[in-house]
């Protein structure tokens, strides 16, 4: 293959590699949004409203057609006695029956729509987040966090439906912890990106910083998964009162970890700015 074609082929492969990540991430987000219970309920509401509206319009149109067929003279339409008059009477009877059926169907859809409106909307599912590059030490913790967030959402949605009062506190703490963990992962990736470009005398210190950040990630992920386990046990026990303490303990522990990670990140940012 000529050099020019080789260059074009390499450029095309590089472009595909760059596009693959965003495209796959976008498809994953679309699938997650489609499967989300909140989105499903909203779609049911929309379909019920559309069906009810269509039923009202159909009932009105069929009723009008039935009346015109039954009394065409009211609209100045002359009809001679005979076959045509009989056909119009049959048409009026048929259209009237269909209009009554459409009215019943429309009424049922409106009742369904009102019932769906009263149903509480579940919390939106967390959107899938693009993972760090495969060579980063932050990738595996972030993969574990992504999967744990999905499990946490399902468990807390069920607990909320069961009237589990601690679910809201657990959800807020889990979201705060996930945000803090992703901040730590971003700092770890920044350190990894800097490693190839620093003097040899600074390599050991930066590697130690990377190890410390990875240890923080591992500890935070462990706390997050501990809360997932507690929520799962509460779901299995149908929100039994004895499970409330376990969920609250796991929530408090994760809240402490999230606070520590946030403070460490703030301290690191302050130290970096003073070093500059």
């Amino acid at each position: 293959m000529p050099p020019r074609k080789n260059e074009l082929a390499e450029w095309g492969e590089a472009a595909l590699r760059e596009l693959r990540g965003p495209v796959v991430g976008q498809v994953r987000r679309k699938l997650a949004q489609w499967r989300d219970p909140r989105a499903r309920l909203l779609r049911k509401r929309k379909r019920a409203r559309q069906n009810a509206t269509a039923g009202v319009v159909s009932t009105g149109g069929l009723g009008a057609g039935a009346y015109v067929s039954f009394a065409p003279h009211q609209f100045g339409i002359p009809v001679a006695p005979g076959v045509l008059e009989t056909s119009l009477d049959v048409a009026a009877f048929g259209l009237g029956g269909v209009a009554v059926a459409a009215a019943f169907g429309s009424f049922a859809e409106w009742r369904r729509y009102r019932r769906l409106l009263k149903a509480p909307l579940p919390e939106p599912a967390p959107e899938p987040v693009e993972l760090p590059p495969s060579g980063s030490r932050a990738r595996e913790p972030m993969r574990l966090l992504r999967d744990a967030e999905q499990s946490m959402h399902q468990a807390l949605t069920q607990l909320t439906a069961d009237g589990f009062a601690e679910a809201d506190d657990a959800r807020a703490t889990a979201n705060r912890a996930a945000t803090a963990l992703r901040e730590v992962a971003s700092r770890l990736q920044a350190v990894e990106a800097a490693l190839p470009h620093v003097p040899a005398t600074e390599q050991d210190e930066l590697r130690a910083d990377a190890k410390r950040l990875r240890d923080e990630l591992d500890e935070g992920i462990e706390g997050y998964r501990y809360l997932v386990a507690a929520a799962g046990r509460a779901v299995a026990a149908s929100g039994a009162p004895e499970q409330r303490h376990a969920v609250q303990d796991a929530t408090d522990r994760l809240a402490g970890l999230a606070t520590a990670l946030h403070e460490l990140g703030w301290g690191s940012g302050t130290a970096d700015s003073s070093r500059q």
Side-chain angles (χ1 to χ4, degrees):
M1 184 180 291
R4 179 62 176 171
K5 290 186 177 180
N6 285 335
E7 182 180 348
L8 289 174
E10 292 176 359
W11 181 85
E13 291 176 0
L16 286 175
R17 285 195 299 270
E18 291 296 326
L19 289 173
R20 188 177 296 119
V23 170
V24 171
Q26 185 176 4
V27 171
R28 186 180 291 114
R29 282 192 293 271
K30 292 294 184 183
L31 286 174
Q33 291 172 359
W34 180 261
R35 296 171 180 170
D36 182 27
R38 180 186 181 93
R40 288 179 180 175
L41 179 55
L42 289 174
R43 288 197 301 271
K44 287 181 180 179
R45 288 180 179 179
K46 183 178 180 180
R47 283 196 298 268
R49 185 179 69 250
Q50 290 174 341
N51 291 339
T53 302
V56 170
V57 174
S58 299
T59 300
L62 291 168
Y67 184 70
V68 171
S69 300
F70 180 75
H73 57 279
Q74 295 289 338
F75 300 90
I77 303 174
V79 177
V83 177
L84 179 59
E85 185 178 14
T86 303
S87 299
L88 288 176
D89 290 340
V90 172
F93 179 78
L95 290 174
V98 177
V100 171
F104 276 110
S106 177
F107 178 72
E109 285 296 330
W110 276 115
R111 288 189 61 184
R112 179 169 177 265
Y113 175 62
R114 289 177 62 85
R115 186 173 65 253
L116 290 172
L117 279 180
K118 294 178 181 179
L121 277 175
E123 290 291 325
E127 291 191 5
V129 180
E130 186 176 353
L131 296 177
S134 57
S136 173
R137 298 180 67 180
R139 182 179 178 85
E140 182 60 17
M142 290 298 96
R143 185 189 67 79
L144 293 174
L145 176 63
R146 183 191 65 188
D147 296 344
E149 280 186 296
Q150 298 297 328
S151 299
M152 177 74 79
H153 172 69
Q154 295 176 8
L156 293 180
T157 297
Q158 183 61 52
L159 290 176
T160 300
D162 293 340
F164 202 78
E166 287 76 7
D168 290 339
D169 189 21
R171 180 180 292 107
T173 300
N175 292 339
R176 182 165 167 257
T179 300
L181 286 168
R182 289 196 170 92
E183 290 175 356
V184 175
S186 296
R187 295 202 302 272
L188 175 54
Q189 292 179 76
V191 171
E192 290 173 337
L195 268 171
H197 310 290
V198 300
T201 55
E202 300 290 334
Q203 292 278 337
D204 291 341
E205 184 177 354
L206 271 183
R207 288 194 178 92
D209 288 338
K211 182 180 183 305
R212 174 181 58 80
L213 291 171
R214 173 58 192 265
D215 291 342
E216 291 175 9
L217 279 179
D218 290 339
E219 184 180 3
I221 296 297
E222 181 184 3
Y224 194 102
R225 297 175 75 186
Y226 185 82
L227 180 55
V228 174
R233 287 193 297 269
V235 171
S238 300
E242 60 268 18
Q243 295 297 330
R244 298 180 184 273
H245 298 294
V247 173
Q248 191 59 55
D249 289 344
T251 301
D252 293 340
R253 176 181 175 183
L254 186 59
L257 283 170
T259 300
L261 291 172
H262 179 73
E263 290 176 351
L264 285 170
W266 180 262
S268 298
T270 306
D272 291 341
S273 60
S274 63
R275 189 181 302 172
Q276 291 175 356

